[in-house]
Amino acid sequence: MLFYPTYVPTMQFLSFSLIDENQFILPGSNLAEVLSLDPIEISPIPDMHPSVMGVCNWRGQVLWVVDLAYILGFGAFFSQGLSYPKYSVIVIRSQGKFLGLAVRKMGSFVGYEALELQPAPTILNPQMQVLSSCLKGQIASPQGKKMLVLDADAIVNFLGQRSQHY
């Protein structure tokens, strides 16, 4: 009897950081583009939630750009009045919509087998409830560090619900 190795597909993820202690990854299937934007390319919108940085022109359409650290409960990374030479923005695609997520530092593409996805850690901090609801799980990097896997659909759904209150 012959045994054939089971093929487990490798999934591609984009790694990035919001704060130094945590590494995050997003599935490549939700990524549309990675941008490096000058601050003047993002037009602020008055009377919006502080997580909304503004809008920019992306491929001839309006792209909303949000501060992902703020949304997930880490506090505002991109504060108004502070100057940044460039913004790193991940354009995600979810449910036929596009959204720009501003992150602190862009990483690289990494591949993991689907079987490596572990359950998301339990987050007890009440200010981190949004983070908890936007996690798909976690994966250990080759160096043994845990990388949190974000769910692009959950982020878009959360913002869609919040936008009804603005």
Side-chain angles (χ1 to χ4, degrees):
M1 179 182 258
L2 293 173
F3 291 98
Y4 295 98
T6 303
Y7 172 72
V8 179
T10 299
M11 298 168 50
Q12 293 294 312
F13 295 88
L14 177 64
S15 67
F16 60 92
S17 62
L18 299 175
I19 58 174
D20 290 334
E21 303 89 50
N22 291 339
Q23 280 292 110
F24 294 88
I25 55 179
L26 274 165
S29 59
N30 291 110
L31 302 178
E33 192 168 346
V34 174
L35 305 172
S36 179
L37 298 176
D38 286 331
I40 61 170
E41 293 180 79
I42 300 175
S43 301
I45 305 294
D47 302 322
M48 290 300 295
H49 189 269
S51 65
V52 177
M53 297 170 62
V55 296
C56 70
N57 180 2
W58 178 67
R59 297 182 180 185
Q61 61 184 359
V62 174
L63 177 70
W64 288 86
V65 180
V66 297
D67 181 344
L68 186 58
Y70 191 96
I71 291 167
L72 298 180
F74 293 107
F77 180 73
F78 299 102
S79 300
Q80 298 268 345
L82 294 179
S83 115
Y84 297 92
K86 293 276 187 182
Y87 292 124
S88 295
V89 177
I90 302 169
V91 181
I92 60 169
R93 173 185 40 246
S94 171
Q95 305 164 24
K97 301 173 186 166
F98 294 93
L99 177 67
L101 306 175
V103 300
R104 182 174 179 266
K105 184 177 178 187
M106 203 62 67
S108 60
F109 277 97
V110 291
Y112 292 100
E113 292 181 1
L115 297 176
E116 294 180 68
L117 184 64
Q118 301 166 2
T122 303
I123 299 173
L124 301 175
N125 184 340
Q127 282 119 0
M128 300 283 184
Q129 287 178 346
V130 175
L131 172 61
S132 183
S133 68
C134 292
L135 287 177
K136 270 189 175 178
Q138 61 185 341
I139 292 178
S141 72
Q143 298 78 22
K145 186 169 181 152
K146 296 288 183 183
M147 297 180 20
L148 300 174
V149 182
L150 290 174
D151 183 337
D153 294 333
I155 294 168
V156 169
N157 286 338
F158 171 75
L159 291 171
Q161 293 167 359
R162 298 301 267 183
S163 68
Q164 296 171 4
H165 302 288
Y166 302 142

